[in-house]
Amino acid sequence: MRKTVTGLLAGIGLTLASGTSALAQELTIFWAEWDPANYLQELVNEYEAETGVTVTVETTPWADFQTKAFTEFNAKGSAYDMVVGDSQWIGAASEAGHYVDLTDFFNKHKLTEVMAPATVKYYAEYPANSGKYWSIPAEGDAVGWSYRKDWFEDPKEMAAFKEKYGYDLAPPKDWKQLRDIAEFFHRPDEKRYGIAIYTDNSYDGLVMGVENAIFSFGGELGDYANYKVDGIINSEKNVKALELYRELYGFTPPGWAKSFFVENNQAITENLAAMSMNYFAFFPALVNEASNPNAKVTGFFANPAGPDGHQFAALGGQGISIVSYSQNKEEAMKFLEWFVKDETQKRWAELGGYTASAKVLESEEFQNATPYNKAFYETMFKVKDFWATPEYAELLIQMNQRIYPYVTAGKGTAKEVLDALAADWKATFEKYGRNK
């Protein structure tokens, strides 16, 4: 016999709005249109087989995802019971009351111990260090690298590289080596180029690319607890990181000023670049011979360390949240109970989802399952993310507007760009009363 909504949730400290159905047999999860959403549909089909509850993963193109989700949220619509929302949404969605508070659920299931720590910090918790949780880490993701093993392992290339740089040609251990390798393979006359990096400034592509350098150089975007940015975003470490990112742009294929995940995979499949930055979520296509004729000679590595040994990567991925306006919160909570089980997380990984479960990530079975899983495991314990405050979209636009002309056209200096960005962000936080 089903428990009542009140009875089921009293034990985990949640109170539901009136009108919630205790007998829902259908749930809708909203997500962006990409392969992980298809893997999630496969997973939830198994939930239906076990429980009789139909779960539909409704998708929309990435370009429309945020707008469509928040239009529904702001209208207090009940079209979606759950959403696999971007990590940056958590501030806006929680402060506006769009997400159900999952703190008691989190504590009941000890998810701070179950999930990789960084995924808890950036996918689930808001405000920072508050101990309040709004999402369950669902699709772990971060930026990593693919490379052409056949180019790296060519004896003639290895000898020439060793003679020029004084060390062996291999996947780079730090950003200096990344730069050297990019320079070495950059041969425009042969239509062969050194590296593919993110440069698209439409959303977060360029910013995430630059974050990979900033975080590994030991820099930060600001103090997330008190919103201080001056002296942090424009620190000397960040200046050097941005200067190197600009230098790497000089080793990219022609026309690379608006590139993101599609183009960066093409850099490998179309024999353009020796190395390519991309989200791990897009690496399955690179090991599939149907989509990558170079699949057998494509390798992967984690984001390299910076000059002082710091090694971090920009976080992608999403957490799954219950929408406050859902009429099926009880059933959604039951679904999450099933989703966080060890066996479900293992199955999620088997289907192609990027689990955030520390136990699964640390297993030899997971790390050996694909050529890129070990690099993914290494990365998910050392990731950092962009601001998650409600005004994150403004902050993102400001960063794009400042760094794009410098990276792609060399306008101004890195120091001038970051000083201006610090002023932009300080003014934005003052406007919203964040840094009183």
Side-chain angles (χ1 to χ4, degrees), residues 29-31 40 65 82-86 89 138-139 318-321:
I29 301 173
F30 189 49
W31 203 0
L40 182 61
F65 183 39
M82 290 170 278
V83 61
V84 188
D86 259 351
W89 295 7
E139 171 71 2
Q318 300 87 28
I320 186 168
S321 301

Side-chain angles (χ1 to χ4, degrees), residues 74-86:
N74 291 332
K76 297 186 178 181
S78 59
Y80 315 128
D81 301 300
M82 290 170 278
V83 61
V84 188
D86 259 351

Side-chain angles (χ1 to χ4, degrees), residues 105-375:
F105 181 93
F106 230 86
N107 293 336
K108 174 186 175 183
H109 294 281
K110 299 180 180 180
L111 295 184
T112 56
E113 301 171 20
V114 171
M115 301 295 182
T119 68
V120 171
K121 180 177 182 179
Y122 294 114
Y123 296 158
E125 186 180 33
Y126 186 82
N129 304 315
S130 65
K132 291 185 71 65
Y133 304 101
W134 306 90
S135 300
I136 306 303
E139 171 71 2
D141 200 8
V143 176
W145 296 83
S146 58
Y147 73 103
R148 287 295 297 271
K149 291 193 296 183
D150 51 338
W151 295 11
F152 276 59
E153 296 169 5
D154 184 312
K156 292 181 180 178
E157 300 287 13
M158 294 173 71
F161 184 90
K162 181 82 175 271
E163 181 178 355
K164 182 173 183 178
Y165 297 98
Y167 61 93
D168 292 333
L169 176 60
K173 296 179 181 178
D174 56 40
W175 277 70
K176 179 185 179 301
Q177 292 184 4
L178 185 77
R179 179 250 172 239
D180 288 348
I181 296 168
E183 177 186 57
F184 176 73
F185 280 114
H186 191 65
R187 304 163 195 175
D189 57 329
E190 300 176 20
K191 295 186 178 180
R192 176 180 285 195
Y193 307 93
I195 197 166
I197 59 175
Y198 285 166
T199 59
D200 183 57
N201 62 344
S202 302
Y203 182 49
D204 63 356
L206 173 62
V207 169
M208 289 198 68
V210 171
E211 282 178 342
N212 283 308
I214 283 176
F215 295 149
S216 286
F217 271 65
E220 300 287 351
L221 302 185
D223 187 325
Y224 289 0
N226 62 27
Y227 305 96
K228 184 179 186 301
V229 292
D230 194 25
I232 302 177
I233 184 60
N234 53 344
S235 68
E236 186 60 29
K237 290 178 179 179
N238 287 4
V239 168
K240 291 185 180 299
L242 185 58
E243 287 174 343
L244 182 53
Y245 201 82
R246 158 69 185 162
E247 188 175 6
L248 291 178
Y249 177 73
F251 304 129
T252 60
W256 220 253
K258 288 286 286 185
S259 64
F260 202 8
F261 50 86
V262 173
E263 293 81 7
N264 279 21
N265 264 11
Q266 289 173 341
I268 295 296
T269 63
E270 297 179 10
N271 305 302
L272 291 174
M275 302 174 291
S276 179
M277 165 190 290
N278 221 337
Y279 292 112
F280 279 91
F282 297 103
F283 287 164
L286 295 183
V287 298
N288 184 343
E289 291 184 34
S291 52
N292 180 17
N294 303 308
K296 291 182 179 180
V297 292
T298 299
F300 304 89
F301 59 90
N303 196 46
D308 298 322
H310 299 283
Q311 189 175 15
F312 294 96
L315 183 73
Q318 300 87 28
I320 186 168
S321 301
I322 297 177
V323 179
S324 295
Y325 318 112
S326 165
Q327 297 299 301
N328 304 311
K329 295 190 190 74
E330 176 187 3
E331 201 61 67
M333 196 67 69
K334 290 179 181 178
F335 173 81
L336 292 185
E337 295 265 1
W338 176 82
F339 184 73
V340 300
K341 291 180 179 179
D342 286 346
E343 57 266 32
T344 305
Q345 289 297 304
K346 182 174 182 292
R347 181 61 178 150
W348 176 222
E350 290 170 350
L351 289 170
Y354 278 112
T355 179
S357 164
K359 182 177 180 180
V360 176
L361 291 172
E362 290 168 350
S363 69
E364 287 190 18
E365 182 180 359
F366 174 82
Q367 292 179 35
N368 295 326
T370 75
Y372 46 80
N373 273 14
K374 185 170 179 58

